[in-house]
PDB file of all heavy atoms in Angstrom:
ATOM      1  N   ASP A  23     105.410  39.587  27.890  1.00 91.00           N
ATOM      2  CA  ASP A  23     105.243  38.162  27.617  1.00 91.00           C
ATOM      3  C   ASP A  23     106.553  37.427  27.575  1.00 91.00           C
ATOM      4  O   ASP A  23     107.607  37.986  27.254  1.00 91.00           O
ATOM      5  CB  ASP A  23     104.500  37.974  26.238  1.00 91.00           C
ATOM      6  CG  ASP A  23     103.059  38.392  26.305  1.00 91.00           C
ATOM      7  OD1 ASP A  23     102.554  38.781  27.363  1.00 91.00           O
ATOM      8  OD2 ASP A  23     102.401  38.310  25.224  1.00 91.00           O
ATOM      9  N   SER A  24     106.474  36.185  27.890  1.00 90.00           N
ATOM     10  CA  SER A  24     107.630  35.283  27.872  1.00 90.00           C
ATOM     11  C   SER A  24     108.177  35.233  26.431  1.00 90.00           C
ATOM     12  O   SER A  24     107.424  35.156  25.478  1.00 90.00           O
ATOM     13  CB  SER A  24     107.173  33.868  28.267  1.00 90.00           C
ATOM     14  OG  SER A  24     108.228  33.050  28.410  1.00 90.00           O
ATOM     15  N   GLY A  25     109.487  35.302  26.334  1.00 93.00           N
ATOM     16  CA  GLY A  25     110.180  35.175  25.059  1.00 93.00           C
ATOM     17  C   GLY A  25     110.349  36.468  24.323  1.00 93.00           C
ATOM     18  O   GLY A  25     110.935  36.479  23.231  1.00 93.00           O
ATOM     19  N   THR A  26     109.822  37.563  24.852  1.00 95.00           N
ATOM     20  CA  THR A  26     110.022  38.813  24.127  1.00 95.00           C
ATOM     21  C   THR A  26     111.382  39.450  24.272  1.00 95.00           C
ATOM     22  O   THR A  26     111.781  40.343  23.523  1.00 95.00           O
ATOM     23  CB  THR A  26     108.924  39.880  24.591  1.00 95.00           C
ATOM     24  OG1 THR A  26     108.968  39.976  26.036  1.00 95.00           O
ATOM     25  CG2 THR A  26     107.503  39.503  24.172  1.00 95.00           C
ATOM     26  N   GLY A  27     112.146  38.950  25.213  1.00 95.00           N
ATOM     27  CA  GLY A  27     113.512  39.376  25.353  1.00 95.00           C
ATOM     28  C   GLY A  27     113.871  40.237  26.561  1.00 95.00           C
ATOM     29  O   GLY A  27     114.875  40.948  26.638  1.00 95.00           O
ATOM     30  N   LYS A  28     113.031  40.160  27.619  1.00 94.00           N
ATOM     31  CA  LYS A  28     113.239  40.925  28.823  1.00 94.00           C
ATOM     32  C   LYS A  28     114.639  40.642  29.449  1.00 94.00           C
ATOM     33  O   LYS A  28     115.403  41.580  29.737  1.00 94.00           O
ATOM     34  CB  LYS A  28     112.144  40.629  29.849  1.00 94.00           C
ATOM     35  CG  LYS A  28     110.751  40.982  29.382  1.00 94.00           C
ATOM     36  CD  LYS A  28     109.706  40.649  30.429  1.00 94.00           C
ATOM     37  CE  LYS A  28     109.627  39.171  30.776  1.00 94.00           C
ATOM     38  NZ  LYS A  28     109.242  38.287  29.645  1.00 94.00           N
ATOM     39  N   THR A  29     114.853  39.374  29.666  1.00 92.00           N
ATOM     40  CA  THR A  29     116.148  38.958  30.307  1.00 92.00           C
ATOM     41  C   THR A  29     117.300  39.312  29.420  1.00 92.00           C
ATOM     42  O   THR A  29     118.328  39.891  29.930  1.00 92.00           O
ATOM     43  CB  THR A  29     116.122  37.486  30.598  1.00 92.00           C
ATOM     44  OG1 THR A  29     114.980  37.132  31.442  1.00 92.00           O
ATOM     45  CG2 THR A  29     117.390  37.072  31.383  1.00 92.00           C
ATOM     46  N   SER A  30     117.160  39.175  28.104  1.00 94.00           N
ATOM     47  CA  SER A  30     118.230  39.511  27.199  1.00 94.00           C
ATOM     48  C   SER A  30     118.513  41.020  27.169  1.00 94.00           C
ATOM     49  O   SER A  30     119.661  41.493  27.149  1.00 94.00           O
ATOM     50  CB  SER A  30     117.854  39.100  25.766  1.00 94.00           C
ATOM     51  OG  SER A  30     117.579  37.726  25.740  1.00 94.00           O
ATOM     52  N   PHE A  40     125.052  39.199  24.802  1.00 83.00           N
ATOM     53  CA  PHE A  40     123.831  38.608  24.293  1.00 83.00           C
ATOM     54  C   PHE A  40     124.030  37.129  24.203  1.00 83.00           C
ATOM     55  O   PHE A  40     124.964  36.634  23.635  1.00 83.00           O
ATOM     56  CB  PHE A  40     123.447  39.160  22.917  1.00 83.00           C
ATOM     57  CG  PHE A  40     122.204  38.602  22.366  1.00 83.00           C
ATOM     58  CD1 PHE A  40     120.971  39.012  22.807  1.00 83.00           C
ATOM     59  CD2 PHE A  40     122.246  37.626  21.361  1.00 83.00           C
ATOM     60  CE1 PHE A  40     119.759  38.442  22.257  1.00 83.00           C
ATOM     61  CE2 PHE A  40     121.100  37.023  20.852  1.00 83.00           C
ATOM     62  CZ  PHE A  40     119.875  37.483  21.308  1.00 83.00           C
ATOM     63  N   ALA A  41     123.124  36.338  24.772  1.00 74.00           N
ATOM     64  CA  ALA A  41     123.253  34.897  24.744  1.00 74.00           C
ATOM     65  C   ALA A  41     122.112  34.329  23.828  1.00 74.00           C
ATOM     66  O   ALA A  41     120.969  34.653  24.031  1.00 74.00           O
ATOM     67  CB  ALA A  41     123.130  34.300  26.104  1.00 74.00           C
ATOM     68  N   GLU A  42     122.477  33.552  22.817  1.00 68.00           N
ATOM     69  CA  GLU A  42     121.502  32.999  21.910  1.00 68.00           C
ATOM     70  C   GLU A  42     120.655  31.940  22.562  1.00 68.00           C
ATOM     71  O   GLU A  42     119.478  31.817  22.240  1.00 68.00           O
ATOM     72  CB  GLU A  42     122.217  32.309  20.705  1.00 68.00           C
ATOM     73  CG  GLU A  42     122.898  33.286  19.746  1.00 68.00           C
ATOM     74  CD  GLU A  42     121.926  33.900  18.740  1.00 68.00           C
ATOM     75  OE1 GLU A  42     120.773  33.423  18.681  1.00 68.00           O
ATOM     76  OE2 GLU A  42     122.304  34.855  18.087  1.00 68.00           O
ATOM     77  N   TYR A  44     118.276  29.840  24.729  1.00 54.00           N
ATOM     78  CA  TYR A  44     117.029  30.256  25.439  1.00 54.00           C
ATOM     79  C   TYR A  44     116.978  29.550  26.781  1.00 54.00           C
ATOM     80  O   TYR A  44     116.908  28.334  26.851  1.00 54.00           O
ATOM     81  CB  TYR A  44     115.811  29.870  24.566  1.00 54.00           C
ATOM     82  CG  TYR A  44     114.549  30.301  25.210  1.00 54.00           C
ATOM     83  CD1 TYR A  44     114.111  31.581  25.119  1.00 54.00           C
ATOM     84  CD2 TYR A  44     113.763  29.385  25.880  1.00 54.00           C
ATOM     85  CE1 TYR A  44     112.909  31.978  25.691  1.00 54.00           C
ATOM     86  CE2 TYR A  44     112.568  29.756  26.482  1.00 54.00           C
ATOM     87  CZ  TYR A  44     112.140  31.069  26.367  1.00 54.00           C
ATOM     88  OH  TYR A  44     110.951  31.445  26.887  1.00 54.00           O
ATOM     89  N   ASP A  75     105.541  34.764  33.590  1.00 64.00           N
ATOM     90  CA  ASP A  75     105.383  35.725  32.496  1.00 64.00           C
ATOM     91  C   ASP A  75     104.558  35.250  31.342  1.00 64.00           C
ATOM     92  O   ASP A  75     104.519  35.872  30.301  1.00 64.00           O
ATOM     93  CB  ASP A  75     106.808  36.322  32.073  1.00 64.00           C
ATOM     94  CG  ASP A  75     107.731  35.352  31.540  1.00 64.00           C
ATOM     95  OD1 ASP A  75     107.397  34.151  31.462  1.00 64.00           O
ATOM     96  OD2 ASP A  75     108.853  35.748  31.161  1.00 64.00           O
ATOM     97  N   ASN A 129     111.100  45.140  21.262  1.00 97.00           N
ATOM     98  CA  ASN A 129     112.389  44.508  21.151  1.00 97.00           C
ATOM     99  C   ASN A 129     112.521  43.593  19.953  1.00 97.00           C
ATOM    100  O   ASN A 129     111.540  43.383  19.229  1.00 97.00           O
ATOM    101  CB  ASN A 129     112.657  43.704  22.467  1.00 97.00           C
ATOM    102  CG  ASN A 129     114.104  43.235  22.609  1.00 97.00           C
ATOM    103  OD1 ASN A 129     115.001  43.935  22.318  1.00 97.00           O
ATOM    104  ND2 ASN A 129     114.256  42.018  23.031  1.00 97.00           N
ATOM    105  N   LYS A 130     113.707  43.208  19.665  1.00 96.00           N
ATOM    106  CA  LYS A 130     114.087  42.340  18.499  1.00 96.00           C
ATOM    107  C   LYS A 130     113.959  43.098  17.146  1.00 96.00           C
ATOM    108  O   LYS A 130     113.649  42.511  16.153  1.00 96.00           O
ATOM    109  CB  LYS A 130     113.268  41.069  18.397  1.00 96.00           C
ATOM    110  CG  LYS A 130     113.307  40.239  19.757  1.00 96.00           C
ATOM    111  CD  LYS A 130     112.847  38.839  19.541  1.00 96.00           C
ATOM    112  CE  LYS A 130     112.726  38.095  20.898  1.00 96.00           C
ATOM    113  NZ  LYS A 130     112.359  36.706  20.824  1.00 96.00           N
ATOM    114  N   ASP A 132     116.124  44.073  15.358  1.00 93.00           N
ATOM    115  CA  ASP A 132     117.120  43.492  14.371  1.00 93.00           C
ATOM    116  C   ASP A 132     116.428  42.581  13.372  1.00 93.00           C
ATOM    117  O   ASP A 132     116.964  42.339  12.315  1.00 93.00           O
ATOM    118  CB  ASP A 132     118.302  42.852  15.142  1.00 93.00           C
ATOM    119  CG  ASP A 132     117.753  41.719  16.034  1.00 93.00           C
ATOM    120  OD1 ASP A 132     117.325  42.027  17.157  1.00 93.00           O
ATOM    121  OD2 ASP A 132     117.797  40.559  15.631  1.00 93.00           O
ATOM    122  N   LEU A 133     115.275  42.051  13.733  1.00 92.00           N
ATOM    123  CA  LEU A 133     114.585  41.104  12.890  1.00 92.00           C
ATOM    124  C   LEU A 133     113.840  41.779  11.695  1.00 92.00           C
ATOM    125  O   LEU A 133     113.326  41.164  10.844  1.00 92.00           O
ATOM    126  CB  LEU A 133     113.654  40.210  13.639  1.00 92.00           C
ATOM    127  CG  LEU A 133     114.283  39.316  14.660  1.00 92.00           C
ATOM    128  CD1 LEU A 133     113.179  38.578  15.507  1.00 92.00           C
ATOM    129  CD2 LEU A 133     115.208  38.306  14.063  1.00 92.00           C
ATOM    130  N   SER A 164     116.966  46.371  20.328  1.00 96.00           N
ATOM    131  CA  SER A 164     117.459  45.041  19.996  1.00 96.00           C
ATOM    132  C   SER A 164     118.495  44.648  21.104  1.00 96.00           C
ATOM    133  O   SER A 164     119.545  45.248  21.213  1.00 96.00           O
ATOM    134  CB  SER A 164     118.151  45.018  18.638  1.00 96.00           C
ATOM    135  OG  SER A 164     118.893  43.826  18.507  1.00 96.00           O
ATOM    136  N   ALA A 165     118.138  43.619  21.820  1.00 97.00           N
ATOM    137  CA  ALA A 165     119.062  43.072  22.832  1.00 97.00           C
ATOM    138  C   ALA A 165     120.224  42.365  22.104  1.00 97.00           C
ATOM    139  O   ALA A 165     121.292  42.157  22.714  1.00 97.00           O
ATOM    140  CB  ALA A 165     118.350  42.127  23.716  1.00 97.00           C
ATOM    141  N   LEU A 166     119.978  42.018  20.848  1.00 96.00           N
ATOM    142  CA  LEU A 166     121.022  41.347  20.076  1.00 96.00           C
ATOM    143  C   LEU A 166     122.149  42.312  19.640  1.00 96.00           C
ATOM    144  O   LEU A 166     123.322  42.067  20.003  1.00 96.00           O
ATOM    145  CB  LEU A 166     120.401  40.625  18.874  1.00 96.00           C
ATOM    146  CG  LEU A 166     121.297  39.742  18.052  1.00 96.00           C
ATOM    147  CD1 LEU A 166     120.489  38.640  17.353  1.00 96.00           C
ATOM    148  CD2 LEU A 166     122.149  40.446  16.966  1.00 96.00           C
TER     149      LEU A 166
HETATM  150  P1  GDP B   1     112.174  36.720  28.170  1.00 80.21           P
HETATM  151  O1  GDP B   1     111.394  35.470  28.362  1.00 80.21           O
HETATM  152  O2  GDP B   1     111.282  37.855  27.859  1.00 80.21           O
HETATM  153  O3  GDP B   1     113.074  36.979  29.277  1.00 80.21           O
HETATM  154  O4  GDP B   1     113.038  36.499  26.824  1.00 80.21           O
HETATM  155  P2  GDP B   1     114.570  36.107  26.708  1.00 80.21           P
HETATM  156  O5  GDP B   1     115.423  37.221  27.038  1.00 80.21           O
HETATM  157  O6  GDP B   1     114.761  34.805  27.423  1.00 80.21           O
HETATM  158  O7  GDP B   1     114.673  35.887  25.129  1.00 80.21           O
HETATM  159  C1  GDP B   1     113.906  34.989  24.436  1.00 80.21           C
HETATM  160  C2  GDP B   1     114.602  34.555  23.157  1.00 80.21           C
HETATM  161  O8  GDP B   1     114.620  35.657  22.276  1.00 80.21           O
HETATM  162  C3  GDP B   1     115.999  34.092  23.319  1.00 80.21           C
HETATM  163  O9  GDP B   1     116.322  33.076  22.445  1.00 80.21           O
HETATM  164  C4  GDP B   1     116.868  35.336  22.980  1.00 80.21           C
HETATM  165  O10 GDP B   1     118.120  34.942  22.503  1.00 80.21           O
HETATM  166  C5  GDP B   1     116.002  35.933  21.904  1.00 80.21           C
HETATM  167  N1  GDP B   1     116.110  37.425  21.864  1.00 80.21           N
HETATM  168  C6  GDP B   1     116.014  38.273  22.895  1.00 80.21           C
HETATM  169  N2  GDP B   1     116.172  39.555  22.511  1.00 80.21           N
HETATM  170  C7  GDP B   1     116.406  39.477  21.173  1.00 80.21           C
HETATM  171  C8  GDP B   1     116.691  40.522  20.170  1.00 80.21           C
HETATM  172  O11 GDP B   1     116.729  41.717  20.383  1.00 80.21           O
HETATM  173  N3  GDP B   1     116.853  40.063  18.882  1.00 80.21           N
HETATM  174  C9  GDP B   1     116.750  38.758  18.571  1.00 80.21           C
HETATM  175  N4  GDP B   1     116.940  38.432  17.256  1.00 80.21           N
HETATM  176  N5  GDP B   1     116.508  37.790  19.460  1.00 80.21           N
HETATM  177  C10 GDP B   1     116.323  38.122  20.761  1.00 80.21           C
END
Side-chain angles (χ1 to χ4, degrees):
D23 289 356
S24 186
T26 51
K28 300 178 297 297
T29 305
S30 304
F40 179 79
E42 290 279 349
Y44 182 80
D75 62 1
N129 193 40
K130 308 198 186 183
D132 56 278
L133 298 175
S164 167
L166 189 151

